Amino acid sequence: MGGFSSGEVGEVPQPHGRVGAQAQLAKAAISGGNPVELRPELFLTIGSPLALPRAVFERLLPSPQGSAPALRGARPPGVTRWVNIADPGDPVAIPPGLGGFFDGVALDHTTVVGFHYLRSSTTAAILAPYLG
């Protein structure tokens, strides 16, 4: 997954600017590392490839548990609620349905957003309670 070293903040190109610390925090949460004991209320994955076999899923740390084909990943430590949004036509968000691969996904929403995740009403509805 990635080429971040400990303490480094990476930047990921996004259609609406750049995301810096979020990429590192998400990587830390997914890998089980939580250096500052973060307790996010919401962990939102959008068009996520986390369940992609061989390229991502089996390489996660901590490793998914169980035996193939029933391997299961877990919700990142410290996360209160995990919501996943994926467009069924998104070639990165494959396979669809993170809840089928991870324990602790509260809502696994598959909807056609035309790759405009950040402008979709689904994303807005999920984020609205957290935006005050």
Side-chain angles (χ1 to χ4, degrees):
M1 278 211 22
F4 293 112
S5 62
S6 178
E8 180 180 347
V9 174
E11 289 192 358
V12 178
Q14 297 292 320
H16 300 286
R18 291 187 148 329
V19 177
Q22 293 91 334
Q24 182 64 19
L25 294 174
K27 180 181 183 278
I30 291 165
S31 70
N34 199 341
V36 292
E37 295 304 317
L38 298 174
R39 300 282 179 230
E41 290 181 35
L42 176 66
F43 183 68
L44 176 62
T45 48
I46 300 175
S48 174
L50 286 174
L52 186 62
R54 291 174 300 283
V56 178
F57 187 65
E58 290 84 358
R59 298 170 132 185
L60 294 174
L61 297 174
S63 299
Q65 299 298 304
S67 55
L71 287 174
R72 301 284 300 172
R75 180 176 62 210
V79 169
T80 303
R81 182 172 182 237
W82 182 0
V83 174
N84 180 59
I85 301 173
D87 185 308
D90 187 343
V92 174
I94 54 173
L98 287 185
F101 298 88
F102 291 89
D103 295 327
V105 177
L107 176 63
D108 201 353
H109 197 79
T110 302
T111 186
V112 176
V113 295
F115 308 107
H116 300 289
Y117 290 107
L118 299 179
R119 294 190 296 194
S120 79
S121 60
T122 302
T123 303
I126 297 297
L127 293 175
Y130 302 94
L131 299 177

